[in-house]
Amino acid sequence: MRTSTLSTALIGFSLVAGGSALSMGLASLGARPGPQSPARQVGVVGPDGRGDPRGCIFDERLASYAAGWPFDLCDCPYPPACDDPINRDAAIPTPATPMKVVRIRVVVFANDDGSDPTSVLGEVEDQIAVLNADFAQHRFYFQHTVDFINSTAARIGAIPATVFAENPGVQCNVYVVATNGSSATGPWESQALADEGGVLMSEDHFASDLHVLTHEMGHTLGLWHTFHGSQLNIACGVGPCHDCSESVGAANTDLVGDHCSDTPPMLAGGFATCTSPTGIDPCSGRPWGAMPENYMDYAGALLPGCDMLFTPQQSGRMHCWSADELSAWFSAPGDLNGDGFVNIADPIFLKDYLFGGGAAPNPLCRGDVNGDGGIDIADMIYLLNYLFSQGPAPTDGC
Ligand SMILES: [Zn+2]
């Protein structure tokens, strides 16, 4: 339950200013992440100047893994495909893009005796509704389940909430805890589909007038903060105004910082208002850009009413990264009950919905497996034909 003031929330949130504190804290420093999608490797500078052979693309991630990397921090041999602006832009969705339906499992903790739960069912439903509203135009839908677990130690962070991970290979675990910070694992991290991954939500941030879950899900699907690589520049250990910095007006803003040129470089977040920060970018001498209403800034996520957008390039990054790394979380057309399989249980689920007062397909549009715009007995027959008579595959419906 939300118990503290916004200022407390801001302090708590600033604890994860580096982006993915949860996974970075749990990462083995000796492990070297494998190459990402080698079939689409980029990383050489072409005649058009794209690509960056020295990397700095991974910057904070590289720093966190530095001990295990046999490379200079600025030597990044495997720039991930989805950091290539061409791949990113090719993935920008349109209104006709089929929804990616992502399975998530929300875990609410209470004390051992069941007292002081970090949330209640109604609040979870409200928060998921906000999440789905925020992502609808970006063609993501989150199909959720909720578990309530009594564990004082996990509730207060004395043991990792991730001890209670369940099937992280097919769903994103989201833990609501009574600690200050919220954080998420990026799709490029080796823990993304492992028990140690997932989203950690402070109960102070888990509230339907805030968009912190939207922010953390943005990280989960492949976004950095909009101020990444500007003021918060630890890239390559050389401080600000390095080639790796994202600087106002620079030509390389697609390749550094948050890897989106449609989000202006800006001061690190934590604004008390939803107005543009003042001040000068020390690297360019120009006024900071600003997009405080972006979900991936702190103001956009933390100030009610200042919470309006992902940019097209951010949307493209999320589609590219999730398709490359997280597709095991996607629910398939025809999987009406959301159990990860398309089988006889799905037409039965639809029958119960249509004629027995059972639960609705989630999302509802998924029930339209024959794509005729309605949900009725014809869909049930269509699904049975697919399963048992070599009929055509279910359509997406959404
Ligand atoms: Zn963040």
Side-chain angles (χ1 to χ4, degrees):
M1 304 285 286
R2 191 176 179 190
T3 55
S4 68
T5 63
L6 178 61
S7 61
T8 303
L10 281 164
I11 291 167
F13 206 65
S14 68
L15 291 175
V16 296
S20 43
L22 169 63
S23 53
M24 286 165 76
L26 295 170
S28 161
L29 286 176
R32 177 189 160 187
Q36 307 284 335
S37 304
R40 286 203 289 147
Q41 270 183 33
V42 293
V44 293
V45 174
D48 58 354
R50 291 188 314 101
D52 181 354
R54 295 191 314 120
C56 301
I57 289 176
F58 289 54
D59 49 14
E60 287 179 355
R61 179 160 70 109
L62 266 180
S64 72
Y65 283 91
W69 281 71
F71 305 105
D72 177 271
L73 281 179
C74 270
D75 179 5
C76 176
Y78 299 113
C82 293
D83 280 357
D84 184 323
I86 285 187
N87 294 334
R88 176 201 66 200
D89 291 349
I92 293 174
T94 71
T97 301
M99 270 303 178
K100 283 190 173 75
V101 179
V102 180
R103 282 185 289 268
I104 65 174
R105 167 186 177 242
V106 179
V107 182
V108 172
F109 288 106
N111 288 321
D112 293 336
D113 63 3
S115 63
D116 288 336
T118 52
S119 191
V120 294
L121 189 57
E123 189 177 57
V124 173
E125 300 299 330
D126 289 349
Q127 180 74 96
I128 298 300
V130 169
L131 181 70
N132 278 326
D134 290 349
F135 273 96
Q137 74 177 103
H138 303 286
R139 311 306 291 158
F140 284 98
Y141 180 90
F142 298 90
Q143 187 184 60
H144 73 288
T145 58
V146 190
D147 279 341
F148 293 86
I149 293 177
N150 293 348
S151 168
T152 301
R155 178 183 175 277
I156 62 174
I159 62 171
T162 54
V163 166
F164 294 94
E166 202 169 88
N167 300 322
V170 298
Q171 63 184 0
C172 178
N173 286 275
V174 177
Y175 308 96
V176 187
V177 292
T179 57
N180 276 336
S182 296
S183 56
T185 308
W188 43 77
E189 300 189 63
S190 58
Q191 302 90 349
L193 298 178
D195 282 358
E196 295 79 10
V199 175
L200 203 57
M201 286 293 300
S202 165
E203 62 177 351
D204 296 337
H205 297 155
F206 197 78
S208 58
D209 61 338
L210 301 180
H211 298 260
V212 180
L213 182 56
T214 299
H215 174 106
E216 299 304 338
M217 203 52 74
H219 285 315
T220 300
L221 297 175
L223 299 185
W224 296 104
H225 294 134
T226 50
F227 50 83
H228 185 77
S230 50
Q231 188 192 41
L232 260 190
N233 181 23
I234 61 169
C236 311
V238 293
C241 305
H242 186 266
D243 288 350
C244 305
S245 303
E246 183 174 1
S247 176
V248 177
N252 65 343
T253 54
D254 262 337
L255 302 172
V256 294
D258 70 349
H259 305 288
C260 294
S261 57
D262 62 358
T263 60
M266 59 193 295
L267 285 167
F271 307 122
T273 68
C274 189
T275 56
S276 301
T278 56
I280 300 292
D281 171 11
C283 302
S284 66
R286 302 185 192 198
W288 283 112
M291 190 182 277
E293 68 275 28
N294 194 291
Y295 292 124
M296 298 314 293
D297 179 61
Y298 286 166
L302 276 171
L303 296 181
C306 178
D307 38 36
M308 288 167 254
L309 62 87
F310 292 120
T311 64
Q313 291 178 8
Q314 287 176 313
S315 197
R317 272 183 70 80
M318 290 190 284
H319 276 271
C320 186
W321 273 109
S322 62
D324 269 16
E325 304 293 340
L326 307 173
S327 61
W329 289 352
F330 298 161
S331 161
D335 180 15
L336 305 187
N337 62 3
D339 68 351
F341 303 98
V342 182
N343 56 23
I344 183 63
D346 295 297
I348 292 173
F349 183 88
L350 187 56
K351 174 181 75 70
D352 288 345
Y353 166 65
L354 290 170
F355 305 112
N362 180 16
L364 182 61
C365 47
R366 271 290 168 85
D368 181 20
V369 292
N370 66 4
D372 69 354
I375 302 172
D376 51 31
I377 192 168
D379 295 294
M380 206 175 82
I381 294 168
Y382 185 96
L383 204 47
L384 287 167
N385 279 333
Y386 166 67
L387 289 167
F388 302 110
S389 303
Q390 282 87 47
T395 65
D396 186 83
C398 297

